[in-house]
Amino acid sequence: IVKGIAKEVAVVIERALLYEECIEKQRMDQELNTADSIQINLMPQENPKLPGYQMAAKNIPSRMVGGDFYDFISFDESHLGIIIADVSGKGIPGAILMASARATLRAYLEEPHGVEWPITRLNEVLCRDTRPDQFVSLFYGILDVEDETFTYVNAGHNPPILFRGHEKTEMQEGGPVLGVLQDAQYPQEKIQVLAGDVMLFYTDGITEAERSGEYFGVERLMELVEKDMSRSSEDIMKNVLETV
């Protein structure tokens, strides 16, 4: 009789524990859904429309939320800021750091007065407020439509690639990742933008996509875009994503 009662009690306890786990999972799912909605709202809801330019962008997190982000800042009719970044960590910790870095950078981008100063300030803030194992790789540039120039600084991010005819140039000028070296310098570079140029911005979610132990890689990405240079930016982006 005692054994029988013990078994019944054990079943009841096990069911109660499973029920508690189920409730906890539902709560976590609700919080993740909320975080996902917030993160989606932080991303641009539409691509900028500038005369003479085409733009396409998409972010697909590896989990429900993630640490990669991009942004467009329309300063005025002739100046457009472009940001792409990747923070250390995935999931909720990465998403929190992403939101913090984005908000801080946005606070410094009031006017299009160069790109070096706001990135230097952001690095100082991240060095002060984050742990040593937390960092952000980021690329920031300003497109000047009237002068047909692009001024940028690269803070340890995967170098965007400029395709011009058969030439491919990686935009590397800048400094280390943000949040590691307090006194790091971030020199900027200005390049001319010509008709027919294609600029590709990406994170390692593309190049480190893996199959059978082999990474997708930068070379394959370059070859893919080079073949599509005559197509629209939307078509180029879709082809990259479908291929990956």
Side-chain angles (χ1 to χ4, degrees):
I1 294 173
V2 172
K3 286 183 179 180
I5 295 174
K7 287 180 180 179
E8 291 294 330
V9 172
V11 170
V12 171
I13 293 174
E14 185 176 7
R15 287 178 178 173
L17 292 173
L18 288 173
Y19 180 73
E20 287 182 3
E21 289 179 5
C22 182
I23 295 297
E24 180 64 17
K25 184 179 182 303
Q26 289 178 353
R27 185 185 66 80
M28 288 294 296
D29 287 343
Q30 289 176 351
E31 291 182 359
L32 282 171
N33 286 329
T34 301
D36 181 46
S37 299
I38 293 173
Q39 190 167 51
I40 290 174
N41 290 332
L42 290 177
M43 300 287 179
Q45 301 305 302
E46 60 181 9
N47 297 319
K49 295 177 175 60
L50 294 175
Y53 294 88
Q54 294 181 2
M55 299 187 190
K58 192 173 185 66
N59 178 60
I60 305 173
S62 60
R63 301 179 185 175
M64 186 170 288
V65 291
D68 291 7
F69 74 96
Y70 70 94
D71 205 355
F72 297 113
I73 298 107
S74 296
F75 293 107
D76 51 46
E77 293 181 355
S78 60
H79 293 90
L80 177 71
I82 301 174
I83 302 167
I84 185 168
D86 182 5
V87 309
S88 60
K90 300 184 184 302
I92 292 179
I96 293 173
L97 181 55
M98 178 275 278
S100 175
R102 178 189 179 276
T104 303
L105 182 58
R106 275 273 186 167
Y108 289 127
L109 300 182
E110 295 297 331
E111 297 180 3
H113 294 323
V115 296
E116 184 177 347
W117 182 84
I119 300 304
T120 302
R121 298 286 82 76
L122 175 59
N123 178 62
E124 293 173 353
V125 170
L126 291 176
C127 285
R128 183 190 66 205
D129 296 344
T130 59
R131 300 194 311 266
D133 61 335
Q134 293 180 312
F135 56 87
V136 178
S137 71
L138 183 144
F139 181 96
Y140 171 50
I142 295 179
L143 177 64
D144 189 323
V145 176
E146 292 183 354
D147 291 343
E148 297 181 341
T149 59
F150 186 69
T151 306
Y152 76 87
V153 62
N154 190 339
H157 192 71
N158 303 86
I161 306 165
L162 170 65
F163 295 83
R164 178 172 294 166
H166 296 293
E167 296 181 0
K168 298 181 288 290
T169 305
E170 293 186 333
M171 292 183 271
Q172 301 183 7
E173 185 65 36
V177 293
L178 304 172
V180 176
L181 299 175
Q182 181 76 36
D183 299 325
Q185 301 297 310
Y186 296 92
Q188 64 186 36
E189 181 178 27
K190 178 183 287 189
I191 59 176
Q192 200 69 34
V193 180
L194 305 179
D197 284 354
V198 173
M199 287 186 184
L200 173 70
F201 305 83
Y202 66 97
T203 68
D204 58 15
I206 293 290
T207 54
E208 293 183 6
E210 187 178 355
R211 184 180 67 177
S212 301
E214 181 184 3
Y215 287 132
F216 190 81
V218 178
E219 290 299 324
R220 188 174 298 170
L221 178 61
M222 287 183 175
E223 293 173 2
L224 191 63
V225 175
E226 194 171 21
K227 294 177 182 177
D228 283 350
M229 283 185 60
S230 60
R231 302 174 68 183
S232 69
S233 60
E234 187 74 22
D235 287 341
I236 293 173
M237 180 191 70
K238 287 181 178 179
N239 191 34
V240 169
L241 293 175
E242 289 171 1
T243 304
V244 170

